[in-house]
Amino acid sequence: MAGRKKRWYTEYFSTHSAVMHGIEKWLYSEVTPFQHMELVITYDFGKVLFLDGKVQSAASDEFVYHDALVHPALLLHPNPRNVLIIGGGEGATLRETLKHDTVKRVVMVDIDQRVIEVSKKMLPEWHQGSFEDKRSTVLSMDGRKYLEENEQTFDCILVDISEPVEDGPAYLLFTKEFYQIVYKRLSPEGVVALQAGTTHLNDIGCLASVYHTLKTSFPVVRVMETSIPSFTLPWGFCLASKKHDPWKLSPAEVDSRIAARISSPLRSYDGQTHAGLFQISKHLREAIEKNVGIIEDKRPFFTPA
Ligand code: SAM
């Protein structure tokens, strides 16, 4: 058949659904102590990083994901100076965080030294030198352990970790106990943002449970949704805060904070995008409200591998 690709990467969403990415070139594959890392060039999205068989980010649209994760949280805080990134191995969350003039120090803690090393070498489009910025401290250790062992507080915490697959390194960073620690390590006006899984109506369990679990610690919890084409499924994020509510930020106020605090251009996020990110359809709001499971260390949530 005309146009049929020779090689495919099959990414499974469940036992009965998957997507096939046409592969132009395999770049790299390694089983690290924590996960299976693969780098490929796809026809549709360019270079793509997969961890344990799931797209983490793609050259063509990583900016949509990283803008949504970083900028609403940092601009909601009146003066974010100290930021913690948990995960974020590719360095793009770090790159976007460093665009904020208020930020004086960023600690990035990713459990997998190999993801950081391979990203440094093979994903320069993602990190754009951010690992070498003098405001950056990059550590390789479990993000939860880091928070448990360090008393210092942060103005914003960005949790950019892989999905909670069983036996994977991330699932204990989606629990009530973890969010309690995050709350303690945030300063009084602190904000946390995290990727929370798909907003696909048939698979809303992760996002809904994360939302309700965050609510056990934080007075303000809001859901964001966007479309990241390489993820295939629509994607959800949660933003939780001790004090400030992103619903109260008008598009004009967002644009004026961007102008005052960010000197480099943003490709996806502005006042209008902010308003769109927080507009969740009625059927999804209802599904999220109905699905009230609380995730705990002894009752974790697992995404199908
Ligand atoms: N954009 C992604 C997504 O949609 O899932 C997340 C990207 S980022 C590459 C995920 C990173 O989280 C990986 O580099 C992985 O090593 C890191 N990670 C997973 N579990 C972690 C943990 N417990 N502590 C710190 N980092 C962790």
Side-chain angles (χ1 to χ4, degrees), residues 1-8 21-24 42-44:
M1 194 174 124
R4 180 171 279 181
K5 311 292 185 304
K6 287 202 180 83
R7 289 189 290 180
W8 299 91
H21 302 277
I23 301 298
E24 197 180 332
T42 65
Y43 284 96
D44 284 351

Side-chain angles (χ1 to χ4, degrees), residues 2-286:
R4 180 171 279 181
K5 311 292 185 304
K6 287 202 180 83
R7 289 189 290 180
W8 299 91
Y9 191 110
T10 305
E11 180 184 9
Y12 290 91
F13 301 131
S14 70
T15 43
H16 38 262
S17 71
V19 64
M20 291 167 74
H21 302 277
I23 301 298
E24 197 180 332
K25 193 171 175 194
W26 281 91
L27 294 178
Y28 192 74
S29 176
E30 176 180 340
V31 178
T32 78
F34 299 99
Q35 51 216 340
H36 187 191
M37 167 175 40
E38 292 162 295
L39 259 180
V40 302
I41 297 179
T42 65
Y43 284 96
D44 284 351
F45 306 113
K47 210 185 276 181
V48 178
L49 171 69
F50 290 90
L51 290 179
D52 288 337
K54 295 189 183 294
V55 171
Q56 299 298 301
S57 54
S60 64
D61 55 24
E62 57 82 11
F63 68 96
V64 182
Y65 173 95
H66 293 107
D67 273 21
L69 179 69
V70 174
H71 301 304
L74 263 71
L75 288 172
L76 184 62
H77 192 287
N79 183 23
R81 294 166 64 84
N82 291 305
V83 178
L84 173 68
I85 297 167
I86 298 183
E90 310 99 314
T93 299
L94 186 57
R95 176 195 77 212
E96 291 304 316
T97 300
L98 291 166
K99 286 183 179 174
H100 288 251
D101 295 340
T102 57
V103 169
K104 304 295 174 231
R105 179 165 181 258
V106 191
V107 180
M108 177 185 140
V109 184
D110 193 294
I111 199 167
D112 199 333
Q113 178 70 26
R114 288 301 298 147
V115 175
I116 298 172
E117 284 167 2
V118 172
S119 299
K120 271 188 184 168
K121 202 167 146 201
M122 300 186 77
L123 298 179
E125 314 90 316
W126 272 250
H127 60 77
Q128 295 178 16
S130 56
F131 292 117
E132 275 72 49
D133 191 289
K134 59 181 187 318
R135 293 172 289 167
S136 306
T137 302
V138 179
L139 307 171
S140 74
M141 71 182 283
D142 175 64
R144 179 163 169 171
K145 192 160 185 278
Y146 174 83
L147 281 178
E148 283 166 351
E149 290 178 357
N150 287 278
E151 295 282 297
Q152 74 200 87
T153 56
F154 296 90
D155 301 314
C156 286
I157 298 182
L158 305 169
V159 187
D160 183 15
I161 51 171
S162 21
E163 289 177 72
V165 294
E166 198 165 1
D167 301 327
Y171 72 89
L172 284 175
L173 283 73
F174 286 81
T175 68
K176 183 173 97 178
E177 292 84 350
F178 175 67
Y179 297 142
Q180 285 166 349
I181 305 166
V182 169
Y183 186 92
K184 278 195 213 140
R185 295 287 174 268
L186 280 169
S187 56
E189 300 194 90
V191 182
V192 55
L194 46 94
Q195 78 91 357
T198 180
T199 53
H200 190 299
L201 190 55
N202 295 351
D203 195 9
I204 199 76
C206 182
L207 177 91
S209 309
V210 166
Y211 169 79
H212 289 288
T213 305
L214 279 165
K215 280 188 120 181
T216 63
S217 287
F218 287 88
V220 179
V221 183
R222 302 296 183 202
V223 171
M224 294 183 273
E225 183 190 40
T226 192
S227 163
I228 301 153
S230 61
F231 282 19
T232 309
L233 305 175
W235 215 252
F237 300 81
C238 285
L239 187 157
S241 154
K242 288 191 171 181
K243 195 166 170 188
H244 302 286
D245 187 345
W247 283 5
K248 295 191 179 148
L249 275 189
S250 68
E253 178 59 21
V254 170
D255 287 335
S256 106
R257 290 188 189 190
I258 291 172
R261 300 199 213 163
I262 301 178
S263 27
S264 325
L266 305 184
R267 288 180 71 189
S268 173
Y269 183 72
D270 66 2
Q272 203 172 324
T273 302
H274 178 93
L277 280 169
F278 290 94
Q279 292 299 320
I280 309 299
S281 304
K282 182 181 176 202
H283 63 283
L284 281 178
R285 293 197 309 270
E286 286 178 354

